[in-house]
């Protein structure tokens, strides 16, 4: 059995790690390089570093910052933030990143996924998807149908959002999550990170239902993001959603969960992890 990955996520703004709840209300938690080193020493399997305002500000990630992280680390790390061309992605990889993750730029121009896979290889291409469960009004042609309480039915489904790093610019992308997952897979993504926005930062557990739906569509690794609050949540997401990795932020940043303890407990629960 392949070892499941424990992945701290560092949302970076102006060189500092920040964290909010459901993508708003960010607080500064520390220096990005210092926190990356801490997680290396604690036994993280890899790191994800998001320059969270790059896309909304129309710029790409700072390559000097990527090089600083690469010089400090000897574990894999993935970089995300405003990467809009294969050339920019390759420059990130040449600066020391092991993978690049694209989110809003891929929604702006889906061919970007194909271009990155062709130039860098699918193994380097991660597509991040910010997904929220929403109830949208049905078209007028069918709105006369009602639910059990007699209220007008709603189109409850999962929908993709973009520019989630900026609370003033975040918006729905006009795509169903499951449709976008399939398209990203078919275009050459080597891994999907599903950020379940309803669970983000609230520490009540991963969205197992949504993750299982996405897992059933994929033959590439799926990483769960959003909702970790206890060791039991990690056990559940590996056991019940069969994800390849579990990403978390605030529970690690604030030392609510320590990675060595988490890995010990996972092994005791029968989950294969790298010590």
């Amino acid at each position: 059995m392949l070892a499941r990955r424990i992945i701290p996520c560092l949302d970076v703004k102006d060189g500092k790690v920040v964290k909010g709840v459901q993508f708003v209300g960010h607080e500064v938690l520390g220096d990005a390089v210092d926190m990356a080193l801490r997680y290396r020493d604690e036994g993280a399997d890899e790191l994800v570093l998001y320059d969270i305002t790059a896309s909304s500000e129309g710029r790409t990630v700072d390559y000097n910052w990527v090089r600083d992280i690469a010089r400090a680390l000897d574990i894999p790390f993935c970089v995300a933030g405003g990467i809009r061309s294969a050339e920019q992605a390759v420059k990130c990889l040449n600066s020391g990143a092991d993978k690049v993750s694209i989110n809003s730029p891929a929604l702006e121009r889906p061919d970007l996924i194909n271009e990155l896979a062709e130039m860098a290889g699918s193994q380097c291409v991660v597509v991040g998807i910010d997904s929220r469960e929403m109830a949208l009004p049905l078209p007028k042609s069918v709105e006369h149908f009602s639910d059990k309480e007699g209220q007008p039915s709603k189109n409850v489904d999962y929908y993709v959002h973009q520019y989630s790093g900026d609370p003033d610019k975040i918006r729905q992308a006009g795509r169903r999550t499951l449709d976008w997952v399939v398209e990203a897979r078919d275009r050459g993504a080597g891994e999907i990170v599903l950020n379940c926005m309803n669970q983000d930062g609230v520490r009540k557990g991963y969205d197992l239902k949504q993750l299982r739906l996405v897992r059933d569509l994929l033959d590439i690794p799926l990483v769960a993001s959003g909702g970790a609050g206890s060791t039991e949540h990690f056990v559940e997401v590996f056991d019940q959603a069969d994800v390849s990795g579990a990403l978390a932020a605030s529970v690690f940043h604030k030392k609510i969960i320590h990675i060595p303890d988490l890995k010990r407990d996972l092994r005791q629960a029968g989950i294969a992890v790298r010590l």
Side-chain angles (χ1 to χ4, degrees):
M1 178 185 297
L2 290 176
R4 309 302 176 107
R5 290 173 284 150
I6 302 300
I7 309 170
C9 175
L10 285 68
D11 292 338
V12 181
K13 184 177 182 180
D14 300 324
K16 301 296 183 181
V17 176
V18 299
K19 188 69 184 80
V21 176
Q22 296 186 343
F23 290 67
V24 296
H26 293 123
E27 62 174 313
V28 176
L29 297 177
D31 177 78
V33 176
D34 290 344
M35 292 187 74
L37 287 171
R38 176 188 133 200
Y39 289 129
R40 177 203 66 185
D41 294 342
E42 289 181 0
D45 295 298
E46 62 186 76
L47 299 178
V48 175
L49 297 107
Y50 287 110
D51 186 333
I52 62 170
T53 58
S55 288
S56 60
E57 293 175 356
R59 60 177 176 80
T60 192
V61 67
D62 185 337
Y63 303 115
N64 292 324
W65 169 73
V66 177
R67 282 191 285 269
D68 289 342
I69 296 291
R71 281 193 289 265
L73 293 182
D74 54 5
I75 60 172
F77 72 100
C78 177
V79 169
I83 298 169
R84 287 182 164 82
S85 71
E87 290 75 18
Q88 289 174 341
V90 169
K91 194 166 182 179
C92 280
L93 296 170
N94 287 338
S95 297
D98 298 275
K99 304 176 188 175
V100 292
S101 180
I102 52 175
N103 190 325
S104 296
L107 290 162
E108 295 167 4
R109 192 172 66 85
D111 284 345
L112 178 61
I113 303 173
N114 305 69
E115 294 167 7
L116 264 62
E118 178 68 24
M119 183 171 287
S122 290
Q123 77 281 356
C124 297
V125 182
V126 179
V127 173
I129 300 176
D130 297 328
S131 176
R132 185 184 292 277
E133 183 177 11
M134 300 177 66
L136 300 183
L138 288 170
K140 289 187 177 297
S141 60
V142 294
E143 68 179 6
H144 63 279
F145 292 104
S146 298
D147 60 21
K148 292 180 180 179
E149 286 73 38
Q151 299 298 316
S153 298
K154 301 290 184 179
N155 186 15
V156 179
D157 206 339
Y158 302 105
Y159 295 91
V160 181
H161 287 64
Q162 60 190 132
Y163 310 129
S164 55
D166 187 335
D168 296 324
K169 295 182 180 180
I170 186 172
R171 63 181 176 86
Q172 190 186 326
R175 289 176 176 268
R176 290 179 66 247
T177 298
L178 299 183
D179 294 338
W180 181 230
V181 165
V182 171
E183 182 173 347
R185 176 203 68 191
D186 291 346
R187 286 180 174 274
E191 181 170 279
I192 299 292
V193 175
L194 185 68
N195 307 309
C196 300
M197 298 177 69
N198 300 81
Q199 277 70 29
D200 181 73
V202 299
R203 303 177 194 163
K204 293 184 178 179
Y206 291 97
D207 188 339
L208 300 177
K209 177 183 175 182
Q210 184 177 182
L211 287 161
R212 283 193 293 261
L213 289 171
V214 171
R215 175 71 275 170
D216 288 344
L217 297 172
L218 295 177
D219 55 1
I220 58 175
L222 171 65
V223 174
S225 175
S230 68
T231 296
E232 289 72 23
H233 295 153
F234 286 89
V235 174
E236 289 172 353
V237 78
F238 288 128
D239 186 50
Q240 298 181 36
D242 194 28
V243 296
S244 302
L247 183 150
S250 61
V251 291
F252 294 147
H253 298 340
K254 297 184 177 183
K255 301 182 180 180
I256 296 167
I257 296 176
H258 295 270
I259 292 176
D261 297 338
L262 172 61
K263 287 194 168 187
R264 179 200 63 215
D265 293 344
L266 286 171
R267 287 181 66 86
Q268 289 176 353
I271 307 295
V273 291
R274 183 183 66 87
L275 292 179

